[in-house]
Amino acid sequence: MGFNLTRRTVLFVYAVLIIVPMVVVLAGTFKTTQQLFSSPFGLPDKLDGANYRQVLGQGGLGGAFRNSAIVTACSVPITLFVGSLASYGIARIRGWVGHLIYGFIVLGMAVPAQANMIPQYVLFDVLGLTNSLIGLVLINVVVTLPIAVFIMTGFLKTIPGEIYEATSIDGSGPWRTYRSVILPLSTPSLAATAIFLFVIHWNDLLYPLLFIQEPGKKTLPVALLSFQGEFLTDYPLLFTGVVVASAPIVVAYVFLQRYFVAGITAGSVKG
Amino acid sequence: MTNSGILLDAPARDESPTPVPPRRRRSGVNRTHPALFLFPLPALVLYVVFFAMPTFEGVRYSVTDWDGFSAEYNNVGAGNFSTIATADDLFRGALFNNLKFMLVVVVFQTLISLALAVFLVRNSRSSILLRALYFLPTILSSVSVAFIWKFVYDPNFGLINTALGAVGLDGLKSSFLGDDGKAIFFVAATQVWFHVGQMMVIYVAGLQQIPADLYESADVDGASRWRQFRHITWPLVAPASAIVIAYTTVQSFKAFDLILGMGGNPPKPSLDILSTRIYAGFANSQFGYAAAESIVFMVVIALVTWLQRRAVALAQSQA
């Protein structure tokens, strides 16, 4: 059976390509540089948390972790709320006005971040929103609105029109319909969008790199990037930073895997 | 998985939402509840003020030599653009690096993700588990992936050279990112590792749409696996391929974080791509010039996307 043998070989090799680097990194967080270099594939002698204490304390990842958590915890729900309001309006406004609003917002997906980041920086600087976590929340909301509206409108259009009509015959206004019919109905798509936004906002490097100079306001990806210069080839410390920065997302992935796949797939279709 | 099917269907319909203005207004009541116009308002305000206006502002900067903080600046007309086109070796180098990077990533990411999807299309327990594993790198931050692979590629202590040494293949050892001629291809390999799982999921969804009885009757006719792939799978998975290729192309231009993580900040010239070049201009207070670069960047992406759509359409019409 040539096909089955090929299949098994390819799947095994690819699994090794994913698992080995991850295990090396995780094991490496409990090693000294010397131990890592002398036996990169080996398991650590003992589970010593010295590297973790160093990156969280002196390395500043503890504060960065907190900043990332604050920014993500604010920007994901706000994007979801503002985006779902807009998507609901777009799905229900009849005629060309709804299409126009949709087209205008979704056009933003075609604009690469590097194309408008400089004027955005100038604007945020004028408003005193650089070196500020509020500024990061705002920019996260703004730049992910187009894709959030794209995903959620796509979902809302699959809700049959009769549901809207039934509720408006009931005499309930649009806000009631949104709150008590549409939001509950779209929970799966909201969850998928939320996960997609969580991954983007948590991992974002560009905007904190642009907007944040104060060390105390840095988020995880920026703090991690600055390790590069600081610890140069101290791989165990770099690895510990990687594990700290990735832990929340990987833990969430273990439990909410299907929403990750659905959300990121929906986002990548036009992201 | 159940959601992805629904969500995947969305873009096909919304390919180009071109609004058609009505020639004549329908008489009678407008059936849209007036309060509905309030719903998109917060999004529109945020989007116009912080996204759309800065985008147009960028065009204004691009014809100046503004440094980002001085009150004065000069209007240089098309000067920035002619410098970019004729006299900027760094920009040209970044453009070529970016195109090389894109080509390699598009080819390998598409082929590997399709192969894995073909092998994992059935919803068995082991397939679902392996899909979840292959998808895992996608959710990590680019900086994390960059650090993992810096060690994989480390010339002295890295995983690849250590493994090669252990099996006596010292001749294959490489300095990887230190080899200026090939460095961008090694970063491309990392990018493929990073995102193959994401594209595989799109292919799995596409493959699962292909009716099983097509394969059954091909089996009856005694068609080989390869012929089945060539004549059933490949043409019928074309819509998913179009999505994967288009997404991978744009993604290759957005690999900003991975390049900064692997190539340093600012990256060395052999690893510089367009987005990192623009960022370097910003960091050097060349706001006007960097704004012009970002307009060229947008044009390049639009052009490549257009060419690539034409190529995909052509290939599919001949399949």
Side-chain angles (χ1 to χ4, degrees):
Chain A
M1 290 314 285
F3 176 78
N4 275 328
L5 188 66
T6 316
R7 175 177 182 272
R8 276 165 185 276
T9 313
V10 169
L11 293 180
F12 176 77
V13 168
Y14 205 78
V16 168
L17 284 181
I18 307 265
I19 293 172
V20 167
M22 304 257 183
V23 171
V24 166
V25 166
L26 193 60
T29 65
F30 299 107
K31 293 176 182 173
T32 63
T33 313
Q34 237 157 15
Q35 287 166 333
L36 179 73
F37 286 169
S38 62
S39 111
F41 298 102
L43 289 174
D45 301 336
K46 53 181 180 356
L47 296 182
D48 177 17
N51 289 331
Y52 287 90
R53 282 191 296 277
Q54 191 178 346
V55 292
L56 289 172
Q58 181 205 333
L61 281 202
F65 192 100
R66 202 205 52 194
N67 292 337
S68 277
I70 294 172
V71 170
T72 310
C74 296
S75 56
V76 171
I78 296 175
T79 315
L80 270 186
F81 179 60
V82 175
S84 70
L85 280 181
S87 303
Y88 172 68
I90 287 164
R92 288 205 57 196
I93 293 173
R94 285 162 206 271
W96 60 275
V97 179
H99 287 290
L100 184 69
I101 298 173
Y102 178 74
F104 177 54
I105 295 183
V106 167
L107 194 63
M109 286 162 57
V111 180
Q114 281 78 17
N116 51 17
M117 66 182 189
I118 294 171
Q120 275 168 339
Y121 171 82
V122 174
L123 179 62
F124 275 64
D125 201 35
V126 168
L127 296 174
L129 290 170
T130 50
N131 278 319
S132 135
L133 297 184
I134 297 174
L136 285 184
V137 171
L138 182 62
I139 195 74
N140 276 343
V141 172
V142 167
V143 298
T144 45
L145 255 181
I147 183 110
V149 167
F150 170 77
I151 299 176
M152 289 190 281
T153 308
F155 175 78
L156 287 180
K157 283 187 174 161
T158 65
I159 295 182
E162 292 86 48
I163 292 182
Y164 298 127
E165 277 152 35
T167 52
S168 55
I169 289 164
D170 265 4
S172 68
W175 174 250
R176 270 284 303 277
T177 312
Y178 168 78
R179 247 202 46 185
S180 46
V181 181
I182 299 309
L183 279 189
L185 265 183
S186 47
T187 314
S189 98
L190 284 175
T193 315
I195 296 282
F196 173 76
L197 294 170
F198 170 46
V199 174
I200 302 236
H201 293 171
W202 183 267
N203 288 338
D204 182 52
L205 174 71
L206 178 66
Y207 294 104
L209 200 58
L210 282 178
F211 289 0
I212 306 290
Q213 266 81 47
E214 268 176 49
K217 300 265 174 66
K218 284 184 177 174
T219 57
L220 276 173
V222 194
L224 200 55
L225 189 69
S226 64
F227 269 29
Q228 206 181 26
E230 229 171 299
F231 301 123
L232 211 58
T233 52
D234 193 335
Y235 285 110
L237 283 186
L238 294 183
F239 290 171
T240 312
V242 167
V243 170
V244 168
S246 314
I249 282 203
V250 173
V251 170
Y253 179 65
V254 170
F255 293 104
L256 301 168
Q257 200 220 101
R258 46 180 281 152
Y259 293 112
F260 272 82
V261 173
I264 292 175
T265 306
S268 53
V269 165
K270 265 290 179 75
Chain B
M1 290 309 298
T2 46
N3 291 313
S4 57
I6 301 167
L7 292 162
L8 269 174
D9 288 336
R13 286 179 287 122
D14 299 317
E15 197 54 51
S16 55
T18 30
V20 186
R23 286 272 165 269
R24 57 201 149 83
R25 198 169 282 280
R26 238 184 301 142
S27 56
V29 284
N30 183 354
R31 310 230 315 283
T32 303
H33 193 296
L36 275 173
F37 290 102
L38 294 175
F39 282 77
L41 212 57
L44 279 174
V45 170
L46 286 174
Y47 179 74
V48 167
V49 174
F50 295 104
F51 195 98
M53 279 174 21
T55 309
F56 291 112
E57 192 80 340
V59 179
R60 222 168 51 84
Y61 291 170
S62 70
V63 293
T64 70
D65 62 357
W66 193 38
D67 59 10
F69 42 86
S70 306
E72 289 167 29
Y73 56 85
N74 302 307
N75 196 322
V76 295
N80 288 334
F81 293 97
S82 64
T83 308
I84 292 170
T86 58
D88 187 342
D89 289 341
L90 287 172
F91 188 86
R92 189 172 311 163
L95 175 64
F96 283 128
N97 279 341
N98 215 150
L99 292 176
K100 284 191 258 181
F101 180 77
M102 181 206 77
L103 273 175
V104 173
V105 173
V106 166
V107 170
F108 285 94
Q109 190 158 299
T110 307
L111 293 180
I112 296 173
S113 59
L114 177 58
L116 294 178
V118 167
F119 291 147
L120 293 176
V121 65
R122 278 182 40 232
N123 284 331
S124 68
R125 248 185 120 73
S126 61
S127 289
I128 291 172
L129 195 74
L130 282 175
R131 275 186 235 152
L133 177 70
Y134 295 170
F135 191 82
L136 181 63
T138 303
I139 64 169
L140 302 178
S141 76
S142 309
V143 182
S144 299
V145 171
F147 285 0
I148 296 172
W149 279 80
K150 269 177 89 101
F151 182 63
V152 172
Y153 286 149
D154 190 289
N156 301 315
F157 310 104
L159 292 189
I160 299 182
N161 280 351
T162 306
L164 287 173
V167 294
L169 291 169
D170 294 78
L172 290 177
K173 283 186 178 178
S174 164
S175 54
F176 299 105
L177 301 177
D179 182 343
D180 281 345
K182 302 195 190 105
I184 193 74
F185 298 113
F186 289 116
V187 181
T190 302
Q191 170 81 355
V192 171
W193 180 87
F194 193 4
H195 289 293
V196 150
Q198 192 185 357
M199 297 303 113
M200 172 200 69
V201 169
I202 295 175
Y203 266 129
V204 168
L207 290 173
Q208 288 179 340
Q209 312 269 319
I210 300 177
D213 48 354
L214 287 178
Y215 293 104
E216 283 158 22
S217 49
D219 269 337
V220 172
D221 294 341
S224 68
R225 287 264 186 192
W226 170 250
R227 284 183 62 85
Q228 292 185 18
F229 176 81
R230 179 70 190 80
H231 295 286
I232 302 173
T233 312
W234 180 247
L236 288 182
V237 85
S241 297
I243 293 172
V244 167
I245 292 171
Y247 182 67
T248 307
T249 306
V250 175
Q251 204 180 36
S252 309
F253 285 100
K254 289 184 175 170
F256 176 80
D257 321 24
L258 192 65
I259 296 283
L260 281 196
M262 295 182 84
N265 179 15
K268 53 181 186 170
S270 63
L271 285 177
D272 212 5
I273 60 170
L274 292 177
S275 56
T276 48
R277 187 92 292 275
I278 296 168
Y279 179 75
F282 166 83
N284 290 334
S285 299
Q286 302 170 302
F287 279 34
Y289 190 73
E293 286 179 317
S294 50
I295 288 172
V296 176
F297 179 51
M298 271 211 285
V299 172
V300 169
I301 294 185
L303 201 67
V304 169
T305 311
W306 180 77
L307 279 173
Q308 179 250 325
R309 273 188 192 206
R310 293 286 315 229
V312 168
L314 201 70
Q316 286 176 357
S317 69
Q318 287 174 349

